[in-house]
Amino acid sequence: MPAKILVSYDGTDNDVDALALGRVFGQAGGELGLAYVRHNRESEERQEEIAQSEAEELLAGGAKWVGLPDAPCHVVLSGSTHEGLLALAREHSYNIIVFGSAYRTTPGHVQPGVSCERLLESRPSGISVGVAPAGLRVRAEVVISVAAYVDGEGDPSAQETAASLAEKLESKLLERATQAPDLLVVGSRTGAPIGMVDLSGAARYLIETVRCPVLIVGRNSPVIF
């Protein structure tokens, strides 16, 4: 399946970081969309119209920031951000959901926020997860010169995904993070069901130590750009 990327966007700085990472995936040939999750419907009709309009304007601003004013923008009504995003991704055949790091993450570091963590804990099937480091938005241009990968044992999904990205972005490809990469693709743990995103403890530790965007792919589920 060709890469379709859904960026979780609420207008905060860290979600602008997510847009910056989404733009990188778009430059690699992926199709980009934006989503904002509203948690409650307003009781008054006029207030509901205003809330919906504000959400649509927020997404339109994000689409303009990323340079794709015509990108699909989705307003989702769900009590849970990660559940709303997951349902939307499946409905529209997105195979990557991108998040920014948690609020107050040290610039350059990767720390999944609450909604991203809940999505990872749910072990989604068929949906890869991207996480942008804090502050990615401030770079004038995000250049991926080196892409690295860490596969699960017996599963080349991370390698195949990283190779696809490296080819499109004209990047050097490395096995494991043997030098500071500009992008890291991480596979799911050995023994996970096919398609499931399920991180090992070692993979989680690695994500916390790198200083670059991360893409986590499901078991035996490479993403081809």
Side-chain angles (χ1 to χ4, degrees), residues 5-176:
I5 302 100
L6 183 65
V7 178
S8 176
Y9 182 69
D10 64 4
T12 59
D13 285 346
N14 287 38
D15 275 5
V16 179
D17 294 333
L19 283 179
L21 178 54
R23 180 164 56 191
V24 170
F25 292 147
Q27 291 167 346
E31 179 183 330
L32 194 66
L34 287 72
Y36 174 72
V37 179
R38 292 182 53 210
H39 296 301
N40 299 291
R41 185 180 296 276
E42 300 293 335
S43 58
E44 298 292 332
E45 181 178 353
R46 179 55 183 158
Q47 290 302 113
E48 173 62 21
E49 291 175 355
I50 292 172
Q52 180 70 17
S53 177
E54 288 176 346
E56 291 171 354
E57 289 177 6
L58 177 74
L59 289 174
K64 289 179 181 177
W65 186 93
V66 83
L68 297 169
D70 296 324
C73 293
H74 310 273
V75 179
V76 181
L77 190 63
S78 175
S80 164
T81 297
H82 82 276
E83 290 178 357
L85 291 171
L86 189 56
L88 177 69
R90 288 175 172 157
E91 179 183 356
H92 293 274
S93 300
Y94 288 101
N95 51 5
I96 300 174
I97 300 177
V98 178
F99 295 88
S101 285
Y103 179 59
R104 291 184 176 174
T105 298
T106 302
H109 292 243
V110 174
Q111 179 62 56
V114 173
S115 296
C116 182
E117 275 289 3
R118 287 178 177 169
L119 180 61
L120 291 172
E121 289 168 1
S122 74
R123 297 179 175 87
S125 182
I127 305 291
S128 297
V129 180
V131 190
L136 190 67
R137 66 189 180 278
V138 303
R139 299 187 194 176
E141 184 179 4
V142 180
V143 177
I144 307 299
S145 299
V146 178
Y149 64 90
V150 179
D151 273 320
E153 185 178 347
D155 175 19
S157 297
Q159 179 182 4
E160 292 173 9
T161 301
S164 177
L165 280 164
E167 180 181 4
K168 293 295 181 64
L169 298 172
E170 299 182 348
S171 307
K172 181 180 179 181
L173 180 64
L174 293 177
E175 181 179 6
R176 301 186 178 273

